[in-house]
Amino acid sequence: MTAQAPFTGPTAGILDAPLVPAKVVIVDDMLPNALLAAAVVERLDGVEVEVFEDAPEALARCRAAPPDLVLLDYVMPGLDGIAFARALRDGLDGEFVPIIMVTGESRSGTLAEAMAAGATDFLRKPWDETELEARARNMLSLRRSYLELRQKTQALHVLATTDPLTGILNRRAFSEAATAEVDRVRRYGRPASLLMMDIDFFKRINDGWGHAAGDAVLRTFADHCRKHLRDTDHLGRLGGEEFAVLLPETDAAGALVLAERLRADLAAVRVTPDDGPPIAMTVSIGVAEAGAAETLDGVLRRADAALYAAKQAGRDRVLLADARAADGVA
Ligand code: GH3
Ligand code: MG
């Protein structure tokens, strides 16, 4: 099984990703031209320039690691500026990388053609140094605004889908992911199972050791589950001390094995808050395999009933839901 990455903060690694140095790629089959332009662009603060004489090689580089700006010659043998711009735009999956098309071509329509192919700006040869510098600065600032906006959008997405205490999916994000999997069961006949998990006598932990210790137990519980699950499994906190896992491509037998392993290993875990003795916990788990025509609500209801039965039977145990209910049999 592949362990999922531990939670280190809701937006860690997104908002603090560095935006400098800015990478500028210059593509021109005439090396002296490219070097002249490089000398000008390198004057800008925090800029690193890479020069390419070979357009296909430059395109491969830009697709593998999108730069922050491309200065592109219009007329080149093999792959010209228009074809390059088009191929780059199509290969970036919506990512915005500004392109300044550089050309001595004075034919009318060249500008419109370059823009239609994906160029953001345009510079006529022979170019003026201050004009090149100003256009490069503008395009880099546009790219920076784009990257900042993208980071903030990604961070907002994480905040909207993550439970802040544990870092796993919140109820809404879990429901969305689980609904998609249950739909796959109906459409393609693939198996999927659901675990409903509830920590036993959690109220006693809160009452005995305080809310902060209770929170530490919840975090440890989520980390423990994360470690036992695959990247393709969906783990969510439905609220309080109730958690759920949707296991794609897993039938009831497989889900029972996993649930039993989670339960048994968790009973051996100890949470050690700063100023208290180690705290042990147990969990009760209800397991249900999605029926061929069932909705997520139906699977959740059956798994919940099995969880309730596990609590009634003494807690710290795994019970399988009644499969007949999934077929509409009362
Ligand atoms: P059972 O074995 O039947 O599940 O008993 P229980 O005590 O675990 O269940 P009960 O539903 O009675 O208590 C759940 C408690 O969880 C009550 C509530 O105050 C607490 N709780 C809910 N959300 C949080 C949270 O985010 N942090 C902490 N520390 N406690 C929480
Ligand atoms: Mg409980």
Side-chain angles (χ1 to χ4, degrees), residues 42-122:
E42 267 165 353
R43 287 184 209 146
L44 296 170
D45 274 348
V47 164
E48 275 176 15
V49 177
E50 254 181 278
V51 165
F52 291 86
E53 281 177 281
D54 183 66
E57 191 191 328
L59 182 62
R61 149 72 174 84
C62 291
R63 279 177 147 174
D68 298 300
L69 172 62
V70 182
L71 231 67
L72 191 57
D73 193 21
Y74 181 76
V75 181
M76 291 184 293
L79 185 68
D80 66 15
I82 296 292
F84 187 112
R86 233 177 243 136
L88 181 57
R89 189 190 49 193
D90 294 346
L92 285 179
D93 197 22
E95 175 166 354
F96 169 65
V97 172
I99 298 174
I100 302 179
M101 191 74 82
V102 187
T103 180
E105 177 70 56
S106 55
R107 190 166 49 86
S108 75
T110 304
L111 172 68
E113 188 192 12
M115 297 285 180
T120 329
D121 201 3
F122 189 83

Coordinates of all heavy atoms in Angstrom, one line a residue, residues 42-122:
E42 N 18.7 40.0 -19.2 CA 19.4 39.7 -18.0 C 19.6 40.9 -17.0 O 19.9 40.8 -15.9 CB 20.7 39.1 -18.3 CG 20.7 37.6 -18.3 CD 21.9 36.9 -19.0 OE1 22.7 37.6 -19.5 OE2 21.9 35.7 -19.0
R43 N 19.4 42.1 -17.6 CA 19.5 43.3 -16.7 C 18.4 43.4 -15.7 O 18.5 44.1 -14.7 CB 19.5 44.6 -17.6 CG 20.7 44.8 -18.4 CD 20.5 46.1 -19.1 NE 21.2 46.2 -20.4 CZ 20.8 46.8 -21.5 NH1 19.7 47.5 -21.5 NH2 21.6 46.8 -22.6
L44 N 17.3 42.7 -16.0 CA 16.1 42.8 -15.1 C 16.5 42.0 -13.8 O 17.1 41.0 -13.9 CB 14.9 42.2 -15.8 CG 14.4 42.9 -17.0 CD1 13.3 42.1 -17.7 CD2 13.8 44.3 -16.6
D45 N 15.9 42.5 -12.7 CA 16.2 41.9 -11.4 C 15.6 40.5 -11.3 O 14.5 40.3 -11.8 CB 15.5 42.7 -10.3 CG 16.5 43.8 -9.9 OD1 17.7 43.8 -10.3 OD2 16.0 44.7 -9.1
G46 N 16.4 39.6 -10.8 CA 15.8 38.2 -10.5 C 15.4 37.4 -11.7 O 14.5 36.7 -11.7
V47 N 16.2 37.6 -12.8 CA 15.9 36.9 -14.1 C 17.0 36.0 -14.5 O 18.2 36.3 -14.4 CB 15.6 37.9 -15.2 CG1 15.6 37.2 -16.6 CG2 14.3 38.6 -15.0
E48 N 16.7 34.8 -14.9 CA 17.6 33.8 -15.4 C 17.2 33.5 -16.8 O 16.1 33.2 -17.1 CB 17.6 32.5 -14.6 CG 18.5 32.6 -13.4 CD 18.4 31.3 -12.5 OE1 17.9 30.3 -13.1 OE2 18.8 31.3 -11.4
V49 N 18.2 33.6 -17.8 CA 17.9 33.4 -19.2 C 18.5 32.1 -19.7 O 19.7 31.7 -19.3 CB 18.5 34.6 -20.0 CG1 18.2 34.4 -21.5 CG2 17.8 35.9 -19.5
E50 N 17.8 31.4 -20.5 CA 18.3 30.2 -21.2 C 18.1 30.5 -22.7 O 17.0 30.8 -23.1 CB 17.5 29.0 -20.9 CG 18.2 28.0 -19.9 CD 17.3 26.8 -19.7 OE1 16.4 26.9 -18.8 OE2 17.5 25.8 -20.4
V51 N 19.2 30.2 -23.5 CA 19.1 30.5 -24.9 C 19.1 29.2 -25.7 O 19.9 28.3 -25.4 CB 20.4 31.4 -25.3 CG1 20.6 31.4 -26.8 CG2 20.2 32.8 -24.8
F52 N 18.2 29.2 -26.7 CA 18.2 28.0 -27.6 C 18.2 28.4 -29.1 O 17.5 29.3 -29.5 CB 16.8 27.2 -27.4 CG 16.7 26.6 -26.1 CD1 16.2 27.3 -25.0 CD2 17.1 25.2 -25.9 CE1 16.1 26.7 -23.7 CE2 16.9 24.6 -24.7 CZ 16.5 25.3 -23.6
E53 N 19.1 27.7 -29.8 CA 19.1 27.9 -31.3 C 18.2 26.9 -32.0 O 17.7 27.1 -33.0 CB 20.6 27.5 -31.8 CG 21.6 28.6 -31.6 CD 22.9 28.1 -32.1 OE1 23.6 27.3 -31.3 OE2 23.3 28.4 -33.2
D54 N 17.9 25.8 -31.3 CA 17.1 24.7 -31.8 C 15.7 24.8 -31.3 O 15.5 24.6 -30.1 CB 17.8 23.4 -31.5 CG 17.1 22.2 -32.1 OD1 17.1 22.1 -33.3 OD2 16.4 21.4 -31.3
A55 N 14.8 25.1 -32.2 CA 13.4 25.3 -31.7 C 12.7 24.1 -31.1 O 12.1 24.2 -30.0 CB 12.5 25.9 -32.8
P56 N 12.8 22.9 -31.7 CA 12.2 21.7 -31.1 C 12.8 21.4 -29.7 O 12.1 21.1 -28.7 CB 12.6 20.6 -32.0 CG 12.7 21.2 -33.4 CD 13.3 22.6 -33.1
E57 N 14.1 21.7 -29.5 CA 14.7 21.4 -28.2 C 14.1 22.4 -27.2 O 13.8 22.1 -26.0 CB 16.2 21.6 -28.3 CG 17.0 21.2 -27.1 CD 18.5 21.7 -27.2 OE1 19.0 21.7 -28.3 OE2 19.1 21.9 -26.1
A58 N 14.0 23.7 -27.6 CA 13.4 24.7 -26.7 C 12.0 24.4 -26.4 O 11.6 24.5 -25.2 CB 13.5 26.1 -27.4
L59 N 11.2 23.9 -27.3 CA 9.8 23.5 -27.1 C 9.7 22.4 -26.0 O 8.9 22.5 -25.1 CB 9.1 23.1 -28.4 CG 7.7 22.7 -28.3 CD1 6.8 23.9 -27.8 CD2 7.1 22.2 -29.6
A60 N 10.6 21.4 -26.2 CA 10.6 20.3 -25.2 C 10.9 20.8 -23.8 O 10.3 20.5 -22.8 CB 11.6 19.3 -25.6
R61 N 11.9 21.8 -23.7 CA 12.3 22.3 -22.4 C 11.1 23.1 -21.8 O 10.8 23.0 -20.6 CB 13.5 23.2 -22.6 CG 13.6 24.5 -21.7 CD 14.0 24.0 -20.3 NE 14.3 25.2 -19.4 CZ 13.3 25.9 -18.8 NH1 12.0 25.6 -18.9 NH2 13.7 26.9 -18.0
C62 N 10.4 23.9 -22.7 CA 9.3 24.7 -22.2 C 8.1 23.9 -21.7 O 7.4 24.2 -20.8 CB 8.8 25.7 -23.3 SG 10.0 27.0 -23.6
R63 N 7.9 22.7 -22.4 CA 6.8 21.9 -22.0 C 7.1 21.1 -20.7 O 6.2 20.9 -19.9 CB 6.5 20.9 -23.1 CG 5.7 21.5 -24.3 CD 5.5 20.5 -25.3 NE 4.3 20.6 -26.0 CZ 3.9 19.9 -27.1 NH1 4.8 19.0 -27.6 NH2 2.8 20.1 -27.7
A64 N 8.4 20.7 -20.6 CA 8.7 20.0 -19.4 C 8.7 20.9 -18.2 O 8.3 20.4 -17.1 CB 10.1 19.4 -19.6
A65 N 9.2 22.1 -18.3 CA 9.2 23.0 -17.1 C 8.9 24.4 -17.7 O 9.7 25.1 -18.2 CB 10.6 23.0 -16.5
P66 N 7.6 24.8 -17.6 CA 7.1 26.0 -18.2 C 7.9 27.2 -17.7 O 8.0 27.4 -16.5 CB 5.7 26.1 -17.9 CG 5.2 24.7 -17.6 CD 6.4 24.0 -17.1
P67 N 8.6 28.0 -18.6 CA 9.3 29.2 -18.1 C 8.3 30.3 -17.8 O 7.1 30.2 -17.9 CB 10.2 29.5 -19.3 CG 9.4 29.0 -20.5 CD 8.6 27.9 -20.0
D68 N 8.8 31.5 -17.4 CA 8.0 32.6 -17.1 C 7.8 33.6 -18.3 O 6.9 34.4 -18.3 CB 8.6 33.4 -15.9 CG 8.6 32.5 -14.7 OD1 7.5 32.0 -14.3 OD2 9.7 32.2 -14.2
L69 N 8.7 33.4 -19.3 CA 8.5 34.2 -20.5 C 9.3 33.5 -21.6 O 10.4 33.0 -21.4 CB 9.1 35.6 -20.2 CG 9.3 36.6 -21.4 CD1 7.9 36.9 -22.1 CD2 10.0 37.9 -21.0
V70 N 8.7 33.6 -22.8 CA 9.5 33.1 -24.0 C 9.6 34.2 -25.0 O 8.6 34.9 -25.3 CB 8.7 31.9 -24.7 CG1 9.5 31.4 -25.9 CG2 8.4 30.8 -23.7
L71 N 10.8 34.4 -25.5 CA 11.1 35.4 -26.5 C 11.3 34.5 -27.8 O 12.3 33.7 -27.8 CB 12.4 36.1 -26.2 CG 12.4 37.6 -26.3 CD1 11.4 38.2 -25.2 CD2 13.7 38.2 -26.1
L72 N 10.4 34.7 -28.7 CA 10.4 33.7 -29.8 C 10.6 34.4 -31.2 O 9.9 35.3 -31.5 CB 9.0 33.1 -29.8 CG 8.7 31.9 -30.6 CD1 9.7 30.7 -30.3 CD2 7.3 31.4 -30.3
D73 N 11.6 33.8 -31.9 CA 11.8 34.3 -33.3 C 10.7 33.8 -34.2 O 10.2 32.7 -34.0 CB 13.2 33.7 -33.7 CG 13.7 34.4 -35.0 OD1 13.2 35.6 -35.3 OD2 14.5 33.8 -35.7
Y74 N 10.3 34.7 -35.1 CA 9.2 34.4 -36.0 C 9.6 33.4 -37.1 O 8.9 32.4 -37.3 CB 8.6 35.7 -36.6 CG 7.4 35.5 -37.5 CD1 6.2 35.3 -36.9 CD2 7.6 35.6 -38.8 CE1 5.1 35.1 -37.7 CE2 6.5 35.5 -39.7 CZ 5.2 35.3 -39.1 OH 4.1 35.2 -39.9
V75 N 10.7 33.7 -37.7 CA 11.2 32.8 -38.9 C 12.3 31.9 -38.4 O 13.4 32.4 -38.0 CB 11.7 33.7 -40.1 CG1 12.1 32.8 -41.2 CG2 10.6 34.7 -40.5
M76 N 12.0 30.6 -38.4 CA 13.1 29.7 -38.0 C 12.9 28.5 -38.9 O 11.8 28.1 -39.2 CB 12.9 29.3 -36.5 CG 13.3 30.4 -35.5 SD 13.2 29.8 -33.8 CE 11.5 29.5 -33.6
P77 N 14.0 27.8 -39.2 CA 13.8 26.6 -40.0 C 13.2 25.4 -39.2 O 13.4 25.4 -38.0 CB 15.3 26.2 -40.4 CG 16.1 26.8 -39.3 CD 15.4 28.0 -38.8
G78 N 12.5 24.6 -39.8 CA 11.9 23.4 -39.1 C 10.7 23.8 -38.4 O 9.6 23.5 -38.9
L79 N 10.8 24.4 -37.3 CA 9.6 24.8 -36.4 C 9.6 26.3 -36.3 O 10.5 26.9 -35.6 CB 9.8 24.2 -35.1 CG 8.6 24.3 -34.1 CD1 7.4 23.6 -34.6 CD2 9.0 23.8 -32.7
D80 N 8.7 27.0 -37.0 CA 8.7 28.5 -37.0 C 8.0 29.0 -35.7 O 7.4 28.2 -34.9 CB 8.1 29.1 -38.2 CG 6.6 28.8 -38.4 OD1 6.0 28.4 -37.4 OD2 6.1 29.0 -39.5
G81 N 8.0 30.3 -35.5 CA 7.5 30.9 -34.3 C 6.0 30.6 -34.1 O 5.5 30.3 -33.0
I82 N 5.2 30.6 -35.2 CA 3.8 30.4 -35.1 C 3.5 29.0 -34.6 O 2.8 28.7 -33.7 CB 3.1 30.6 -36.5 CG1 3.3 32.1 -36.9 CG2 1.7 30.2 -36.5 CD1 2.5 33.1 -36.0
A83 N 4.2 28.0 -35.3 CA 4.0 26.6 -34.9 C 4.4 26.3 -33.5 O 3.8 25.6 -32.7 CB 4.7 25.7 -35.9
F84 N 5.5 27.0 -33.1 CA 6.1 26.8 -31.7 C 5.0 27.4 -30.7 O 4.7 26.7 -29.7 CB 7.4 27.7 -31.6 CG 8.1 27.5 -30.3 CD1 9.3 26.8 -30.3 CD2 7.6 28.0 -29.1 CE1 10.0 26.6 -29.1 CE2 8.3 27.8 -27.9 CZ 9.5 27.1 -27.9
A85 N 4.5 28.6 -31.0 CA 3.6 29.2 -30.0 C 2.3 28.3 -29.9 O 1.8 28.1 -28.8 CB 3.2 30.6 -30.5
R86 N 1.9 27.8 -31.0 CA 0.7 27.0 -31.0 C 0.9 25.7 -30.2 O 0.1 25.3 -29.3 CB 0.3 26.6 -32.4 CG -1.1 26.9 -32.8 CD -1.5 26.6 -34.2 NE -1.8 27.8 -34.9 CZ -1.4 28.2 -36.1 NH1 -0.6 27.4 -36.8 NH2 -1.8 29.3 -36.6
A87 N 2.1 25.0 -30.5 CA 2.4 23.8 -29.8 C 2.6 24.0 -28.3 O 2.2 23.2 -27.5 CB 3.6 23.2 -30.4
L88 N 3.2 25.1 -28.0 CA 3.4 25.4 -26.5 C 2.1 25.6 -25.9 O 1.8 25.0 -24.8 CB 4.3 26.6 -26.4 CG 4.6 27.0 -24.9 CD1 5.3 25.8 -24.2 CD2 5.6 28.2 -24.8
R89 N 1.2 26.5 -26.5 CA -0.1 26.7 -25.8 C -0.9 25.4 -25.7 O -1.5 25.2 -24.6 CB -0.8 27.7 -26.7 CG -2.1 28.3 -26.1 CD -2.9 29.0 -27.1 NE -3.1 28.2 -28.4 CZ -3.6 28.7 -29.5 NH1 -3.9 30.0 -29.6 NH2 -3.7 27.9 -30.6
D90 N -0.9 24.6 -26.7 CA -1.6 23.3 -26.6 C -1.1 22.4 -25.6 O -1.8 21.5 -25.1 CB -1.7 22.7 -28.0 CG -2.5 23.5 -29.0 OD1 -3.2 24.4 -28.5 OD2 -2.4 23.2 -30.2
G91 N 0.3 22.5 -25.3 CA 0.9 21.5 -24.4 C 0.9 22.0 -23.0 O 1.4 21.3 -22.1
L92 N 0.4 23.2 -22.7 CA 0.5 23.7 -21.3 C -0.7 23.5 -20.5 O -0.7 23.9 -19.3 CB 0.9 25.2 -21.3 CG 2.3 25.5 -21.7 CD1 2.5 27.0 -21.7 CD2 3.3 24.9 -20.8
D93 N -1.7 22.9 -21.0 CA -2.9 22.5 -20.3 C -3.5 23.7 -19.5 O -3.8 23.7 -18.4 CB -2.5 21.4 -19.2 CG -3.7 20.7 -18.7 OD1 -4.8 20.8 -19.4 OD2 -3.6 20.2 -17.5
G94 N -3.6 24.9 -20.3 CA -4.2 26.1 -19.7 C -3.3 27.0 -19.0 O -3.7 28.1 -18.6
E95 N -2.1 26.5 -18.7 CA -1.1 27.4 -17.9 C -0.7 28.6 -18.8 O -0.5 28.5 -20.0 CB 0.1 26.6 -17.5 CG 1.1 27.5 -16.9 CD 2.2 26.8 -16.1 OE1 2.1 25.6 -16.0 OE2 3.2 27.5 -15.6
F96 N -0.7 29.8 -18.2 CA -0.3 31.0 -19.0 C 1.2 31.3 -18.9 O 1.7 31.5 -17.9 CB -1.1 32.2 -18.4 CG -0.6 33.5 -18.9 CD1 -0.8 33.8 -20.3 CD2 0.0 34.4 -18.1 CE1 -0.3 35.0 -20.8 CE2 0.5 35.7 -18.6 CZ 0.3 36.0 -19.9
V97 N 1.8 31.2 -20.1 CA 3.2 31.5 -20.2 C 3.3 32.6 -21.3 O 3.0 32.3 -22.5 CB 4.1 30.3 -20.6 CG1 5.5 30.8 -21.0 CG2 4.1 29.3 -19.5
P98 N 3.7 33.8 -21.0 CA 3.7 34.9 -22.0 C 4.7 34.6 -23.1 O 5.8 34.1 -22.8 CB 4.0 36.2 -21.2 CG 4.4 35.7 -19.9 CD 4.0 34.3 -19.7
I99 N 4.4 35.0 -24.3 CA 5.3 34.8 -25.4 C 5.4 36.2 -26.1 O 4.4 36.8 -26.5 CB 4.8 33.8 -26.4 CG1 4.7 32.4 -25.8 CG2 5.7 33.7 -27.7 CD1 4.0 31.4 -26.7
I100 N 6.7 36.6 -26.3 CA 6.9 37.8 -27.1 C 7.4 37.3 -28.5 O 8.5 36.7 -28.5 CB 7.9 38.8 -26.5 CG1 7.4 39.2 -25.1 CG2 8.1 40.0 -27.4 CD1 8.4 40.2 -24.4
M101 N 6.7 37.5 -29.5 CA 7.1 37.1 -30.9 C 8.0 38.2 -31.4 O 7.6 39.4 -31.4 CB 5.9 36.9 -31.8 CG 6.2 36.3 -33.1 SD 6.5 34.5 -32.9 CE 4.8 33.9 -32.9
V102 N 9.2 37.8 -31.9 CA 10.2 38.8 -32.4 C 10.4 38.6 -33.9 O 10.7 37.5 -34.3 CB 11.6 38.7 -31.7 CG1 12.5 39.8 -32.1 CG2 11.4 38.7 -30.2
T103 N 10.1 39.6 -34.7 CA 10.2 39.4 -36.1 C 10.6 40.6 -36.9 O 10.4 41.7 -36.6 CB 8.9 38.8 -36.7 OG1 9.0 38.6 -38.1 CG2 7.8 39.8 -36.5
G104 N 11.3 40.3 -38.1 CA 11.6 41.4 -39.0 C 10.5 41.4 -40.1 O 10.5 42.3 -41.0
E105 N 9.6 40.5 -40.0 CA 8.5 40.4 -41.0 C 7.6 41.6 -40.9 O 7.1 42.0 -39.9 CB 7.7 39.1 -40.6 CG 6.5 38.9 -41.5 CD 6.8 38.5 -42.9 OE1 7.6 37.5 -43.0 OE2 6.4 39.2 -43.8
S106 N 7.4 42.3 -42.1 CA 6.6 43.5 -42.0 C 5.2 43.3 -42.7 O 4.4 44.2 -42.8 CB 7.4 44.7 -42.7 OG 7.7 44.3 -44.0
R107 N 5.0 42.1 -43.2 CA 3.8 41.8 -43.9 C 2.6 42.1 -42.9 O 2.6 41.8 -41.7 CB 3.8 40.3 -44.2 CG 2.7 39.8 -45.1 CD 3.1 38.4 -45.6 NE 3.5 37.5 -44.5 CZ 2.6 36.8 -43.8 NH1 1.3 36.9 -44.0 NH2 3.1 36.0 -42.9
S108 N 1.5 42.7 -43.5 CA 0.4 43.0 -42.7 C -0.3 41.6 -42.3 O -0.3 40.7 -43.1 CB -0.6 43.9 -43.4 OG -1.3 43.2 -44.3
G109 N -0.8 41.6 -41.1 CA -1.5 40.3 -40.7 C -0.5 39.4 -39.8 O -1.0 38.5 -39.2
T110 N 0.8 39.8 -39.9 CA 1.7 39.0 -39.1 C 1.4 39.1 -37.6 O 1.4 38.0 -36.9 CB 3.2 39.5 -39.3 OG1 3.4 39.4 -40.7 CG2 4.2 38.6 -38.5
L111 N 1.1 40.3 -37.1 CA 0.8 40.5 -35.7 C -0.4 39.7 -35.3 O -0.4 39.0 -34.3 CB 0.5 42.0 -35.5 CG 0.0 42.4 -34.1 CD1 1.1 42.2 -33.1 CD2 -0.4 43.9 -34.1
A112 N -1.5 39.8 -36.1 CA -2.7 39.1 -35.8 C -2.5 37.6 -35.8 O -3.0 36.8 -34.9 CB -3.8 39.5 -36.8
E113 N -1.7 37.1 -36.8 CA -1.4 35.7 -36.9 C -0.7 35.2 -35.6 O -1.0 34.1 -35.0 CB -0.6 35.4 -38.1 CG -0.4 34.0 -38.4 CD 0.7 33.8 -39.5 OE1 1.5 34.7 -39.8 OE2 0.9 32.6 -40.0
A114 N 0.3 36.0 -35.2 CA 1.1 35.6 -34.0 C 0.2 35.6 -32.8 O 0.3 34.7 -31.9 CB 2.2 36.6 -33.8
M115 N -0.6 36.6 -32.6 CA -1.5 36.6 -31.4 C -2.5 35.5 -31.4 O -2.8 34.8 -30.4 CB -2.3 37.9 -31.4 CG -1.5 39.2 -31.3 SD -0.9 39.4 -29.7 CE 0.1 40.9 -29.8
A116 N -3.0 35.1 -32.6 CA -4.0 34.0 -32.7 C -3.3 32.7 -32.4 O -3.9 31.8 -31.9 CB -4.6 34.0 -34.1
A117 N -2.0 32.6 -32.6 CA -1.3 31.4 -32.3 C -0.9 31.3 -30.9 O -0.4 30.2 -30.4 CB 0.0 31.3 -33.2
G118 N -1.1 32.4 -30.1 CA -0.8 32.3 -28.7 C 0.3 33.3 -28.2 O 0.6 33.3 -27.0
A119 N 0.8 34.1 -29.1 CA 1.7 35.2 -28.6 C 1.0 36.2 -27.8 O -0.2 36.5 -28.1 CB 2.4 35.8 -29.8
T120 N 1.7 36.7 -26.8 CA 1.0 37.7 -25.9 C 1.5 39.1 -26.3 O 0.7 40.1 -26.2 CB 1.5 37.5 -24.5 OG1 1.7 36.1 -24.3 CG2 0.5 38.0 -23.5
D121 N 2.7 39.2 -26.9 CA 3.2 40.5 -27.3 C 4.1 40.3 -28.5 O 4.3 39.2 -28.9 CB 4.0 41.2 -26.1 CG 4.1 42.7 -26.3 OD1 3.5 43.2 -27.2 OD2 4.8 43.3 -25.4
F122 N 4.6 41.4 -29.0 CA 5.1 41.4 -30.4 C 6.2 42.5 -30.4 O 6.0 43.6 -29.9 CB 4.0 41.8 -31.3 CG 4.3 41.6 -32.8 CD1 4.2 40.4 -33.4 CD2 4.6 42.7 -33.5 CE1 4.4 40.2 -34.7 CE2 4.8 42.6 -34.9 CZ 4.7 41.3 -35.5

